[in-house]
């Protein structure tokens, strides 16, 4: 789950001072995004673009979420026309990555929300459609209906935060999220059950489908947020996804990167092909010749299933995603990165390679590689949590990118 830290200074200077401190903090590399809670500011900022640029200079490439929480949904900003104006003004600067729009869930006002969301998107921003109730949790049916209504605006992330009054409220919210996510597996969701009773909801995104969690470094912005150091420890302990898997076509760099990543993270490293070669006491090429691809796929699948529940870096064979059951196993037990490269790169890397892949025998040409890749690319994308575009990048650039993605998702051993 990507960690987001809210910034809640009362003045521009206070916000920038907090950000300066944050940038120096040992946990800064772990953050996926910084949320600027604009409603905490006591005075409207005169030169918003300049202020946001100041924020950007401090946070570098971290994602910036611009949020105005209104008095209707637990914030400080008085709801009115200026709510829309201020959000659009923020996006006109081109600086925030996301605008959090507190979407009104009733039928009335639908058009103005739609217009505002479309406007943010036209300006190049992404939208978090959010809905909060700090007093109660709707029942399961209503939670599901709200999620559908929020997603009908086509935002980039749907966010729902409620206060539970009883244990069932927490479970209902999580369950509604899970169902929604299963229906829209590639859409992003944040579900939060607030307060002490709901704290678990902030940690169990693997179960509930929630993709991000708000954590505190300098104080909470909503009841129940975990301190980042607690969050990191607990998330790793509780997540069923203990491993990290690098997926991709033959020659995409899986083994090279997985080996080096394992050293960086001091983690064990496995290649399904190497495990199989040891078990068979023969090379993969020989196995294909003797027993054929179907038998190889069965064995590959069996080995994969032995790899759950342990922290490791896994480099499976490029064809692992062909079977539905493997894709679902990978999604459940690994954080998956797809190393995406072009057929040209594969051809260049594998022509003349010592380890000739059986499936590329007589097919070491652009047309055949492109065709095979096209058959697989949707499977890699479906399984991946993150896509790393590998063309034109050096090994060390890929490793740096991989490391920050893993840190930001709390999947790399804490180095603090
Ligand atoms: C295969 C990829 C190979 C190996 C086997 C089949 C594939 O592994 O498992 O030759 O179907 O893509 P690499 O991707 O490590 O080359």
């Amino acid at each position: 789950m990507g960690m987001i830290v809210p910034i809640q200074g009362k003045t521009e200077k206070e916000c920038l001072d907090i950000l300066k401190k944050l940038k120096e903090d040992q946990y800064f590399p772990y953050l996926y995004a910084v949320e600027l809670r604009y409603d905490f500011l006591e005075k409207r900022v005169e030169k918003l673009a300049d202020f946001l640029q100041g924020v950007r200079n401090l946070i570098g490439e971290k994602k910036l979420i611009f949020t105005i929480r209104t008095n209707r949904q637990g914030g400080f900003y008085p709801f009115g026309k200026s709510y829309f104006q201020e959000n659009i003004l923020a996006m006109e600067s081109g600086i925030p990555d996301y605008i959090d729009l507190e979407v009104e869930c009733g039928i009335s006002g639908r058009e103005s929300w739609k217009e505002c969301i479309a406007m943010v998107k036209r300006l190049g921003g992404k939208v978090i459609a959010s809905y909060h109730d700090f007093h109660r949790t709707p029942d399961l049916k209503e939670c599901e209906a709200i999620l559908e209504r929020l997603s009908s605006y086509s935002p980039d992330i749907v966010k729902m935060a409620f206060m539970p009054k009883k244990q069932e409220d927490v479970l209902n919210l999580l369950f509604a999220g899970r169902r929604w996510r299963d229906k829209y597996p590639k859409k992003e969701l944040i579900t939060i059950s607030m307060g002490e009773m709901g704290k678990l909801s902030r940690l169990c995104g693997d179960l509930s489908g929630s993709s991000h969690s708000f954590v505190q470094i300098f104080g909470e912005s909503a009841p129940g947020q975990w301190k980042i150091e607690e969050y990191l420890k607990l998330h790793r302990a509780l997540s069923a996804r203990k491993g990290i898997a690098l997926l991709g076509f033959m020659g995409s760099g899986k083994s090279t990167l997985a080996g080096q990543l394992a050293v960086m993270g001091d983690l064990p490293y496995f290649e399904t092909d190497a495990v199989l070669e040891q078990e068979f006491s023969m090379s993969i090429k020989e196995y294909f010749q003797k027993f054929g691809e179907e038998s190889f796929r069965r064995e590959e699948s069996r080995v994969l299933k032995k790899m759950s529940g342990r922290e490791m870096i896994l480099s499976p064979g490029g064809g692992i995603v062909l079977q539905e059951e493997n894709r679902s196993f990978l999604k459940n037990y690994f954080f998956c990165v797809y190393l995406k490269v072009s057929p040209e790169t594969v051809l260049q890397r594998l022509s003349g390679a010592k380890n000739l892949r059986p499936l590329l025998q007589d097919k070491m040409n652009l047309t055949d590689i492109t065709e095979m890749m096209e058959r697989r690319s949707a499977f890699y994308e479906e399984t991946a949590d993150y896509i790393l575009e590998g063309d034109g990048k050096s090994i060390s650039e890929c490793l740096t990118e991989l490391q920050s993605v893993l840190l930001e998702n709390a999947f790399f051993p804490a180095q603090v």
Side-chain angles (χ1 to χ4, degrees):
M1 283 167 93
M3 288 169 285
I4 303 171
V5 71
I7 304 298
Q8 24 193 0
K10 292 197 176 73
T11 62
E12 290 173 57
K13 184 173 177 311
E14 203 185 324
C15 290
L16 296 173
D17 284 346
I18 294 173
L19 286 166
K20 274 181 208 147
K21 229 169 88 188
L22 184 66
K23 202 186 161 189
E24 297 307 317
D25 195 275
Q26 55 183 341
Y27 289 106
F28 185 71
Y30 292 80
L31 299 181
Y32 170 75
V34 166
E35 182 196 42
L36 182 67
R37 278 288 300 266
Y38 188 74
D39 56 299
F40 269 85
L41 283 143
E42 282 167 346
K43 266 198 337 216
R44 190 178 166 273
V45 173
E46 289 290 322
K47 292 184 177 164
L48 188 55
D50 291 351
F51 173 51
L52 293 175
Q53 187 58 54
V55 171
R56 172 58 72 204
N57 294 345
L58 287 166
I59 66 171
E61 285 178 8
K62 293 284 176 203
K63 301 268 182 282
L64 175 63
I65 304 172
F66 181 85
T67 300
I68 306 180
R69 190 72 54 241
T70 76
N71 50 2
R72 302 201 306 185
Q73 292 195 21
F76 298 105
Y77 198 91
F79 184 74
K81 253 196 193 153
S82 69
Y83 171 74
F84 293 101
Q85 289 162 352
E86 209 70 39
N87 275 310
I88 296 300
L89 198 64
M91 200 57 238
E92 271 171 353
S93 73
I95 297 168
D97 298 281
Y98 291 93
I99 301 285
D100 175 306
L101 286 174
E102 218 177 69
V103 168
E104 180 44 44
C105 270
I107 298 301
S108 69
R110 265 186 89 82
E111 289 316 307
S112 40
W113 295 105
K114 275 197 166 160
E115 253 173 57
C116 192
I117 288 175
M119 186 97 85
V120 170
K121 289 190 165 186
R122 265 203 303 280
L123 290 167
K126 291 185 170 176
V127 173
I128 304 177
S130 62
Y131 186 73
H132 307 72
D133 193 328
F134 279 69
H135 304 292
R136 68 176 200 116
T137 301
D139 66 21
L140 179 58
K141 239 174 136 183
E142 205 184 330
C143 282
E144 292 195 90
I146 292 172
L147 281 176
E148 285 298 337
R149 261 180 279 161
L150 290 175
S151 47
S152 73
Y153 290 100
S154 309
D156 298 278
I157 302 183
V158 167
K159 177 184 175 205
M160 202 161 73
F162 295 128
M163 187 64 82
K165 285 193 171 148
K166 50 187 190 305
Q167 288 86 345
E168 197 180 301
D169 289 341
V170 180
L171 297 171
N172 279 342
L173 177 67
L174 298 179
F175 192 39
R178 179 74 265 163
R179 281 190 170 166
W180 184 85
R181 193 69 196 274
D182 285 346
K183 199 163 155 194
Y184 309 107
K186 279 290 156 191
K187 292 194 184 175
E188 288 191 284
L189 171 73
I190 304 175
T191 41
I192 303 167
S193 189
M194 291 183 280
E196 283 304 307
M197 193 185 280
K199 273 183 105 164
L200 183 69
S201 69
R202 298 173 181 275
L203 272 171
C204 63
D206 281 359
L207 286 180
S208 67
S210 189
S211 42
H212 300 284
S213 193
F214 289 79
V215 294
Q216 48 164 313
I217 294 190
F218 307 125
E220 61 178 26
S221 67
Q225 278 166 8
W226 292 97
K227 289 196 176 80
I228 190 163
E229 59 271 31
E230 291 172 336
Y231 178 86
L232 279 167
K233 261 194 226 127
L234 292 168
H235 177 263
R236 280 179 71 75
L238 292 176
S239 178
R241 294 193 295 166
K242 294 272 186 282
I244 296 159
L246 302 190
L247 312 176
F249 202 75
M250 294 166 266
S252 58
K254 300 183 296 283
S255 309
T256 310
L257 293 173
Q260 299 203 23
L261 201 60
V263 173
M264 282 161 71
D266 194 19
L267 288 165
Y269 157 57
F270 296 96
E271 268 186 56
T272 50
D273 277 1
V275 174
L276 287 169
E277 283 183 333
Q278 211 179 13
E279 281 190 16
F280 303 150
S281 304
M282 68 178 92
S283 72
I284 300 293
K285 194 174 157 208
E286 284 171 295
Y287 191 89
F288 264 72
Q289 277 162 357
K290 277 201 174 152
F291 303 103
E293 182 173 352
E294 220 181 292
S295 168
F296 172 79
R297 295 293 173 213
R298 266 197 308 275
E299 296 299 319
E300 188 182 42
S301 206
R302 176 184 58 75
V303 163
L304 175 67
K305 297 217 180 86
K306 288 204 296 198
M307 302 281 182
S308 71
R310 278 183 290 161
E311 291 191 358
M312 71 170 80
I313 310 282
L314 180 70
S315 165
I320 200 88
V321 295
L322 292 170
Q323 283 166 267
E324 211 282 320
E325 56 166 331
N326 292 351
R327 297 198 294 279
S328 127
F329 187 86
L330 283 163
K331 279 189 262 187
N332 289 338
Y333 296 106
F334 291 84
F335 183 87
C336 297
V337 178
Y338 167 27
L339 307 177
K340 190 173 182 179
V341 291
S342 63
E344 287 81 0
T345 303
V346 170
L347 183 62
Q348 189 201 344
R349 287 185 189 165
L350 295 187
S351 317
K354 269 193 254 133
N355 166 18
L356 183 63
R357 281 32 173 216
L359 292 179
L360 289 180
Q361 217 163 6
D362 315 319
K363 292 197 168 165
M364 201 55 96
N365 63 73
L366 216 47
T367 317
D368 284 323
I369 293 176
T370 307
E371 196 200 309
M372 200 191 273
M373 217 182 230
E374 272 168 6
R375 264 186 279 128
R376 292 178 175 187
S377 61
F379 292 146
Y380 291 130
E381 284 178 22
E382 175 207 312
T383 318
D385 294 286
Y386 182 79
I387 299 177
L388 192 155
E389 305 275 351
D391 281 333
K393 286 184 190 153
S394 67
I395 296 178
S396 87
E397 282 168 335
C398 291
L399 282 171
T400 308
E401 184 173 336
L402 266 174
Q403 192 187 20
S404 33
V405 170
L406 295 170
L407 288 178
E408 288 170 4
N409 283 281
F411 276 102
F412 213 47
Q415 287 157 357
V416 285

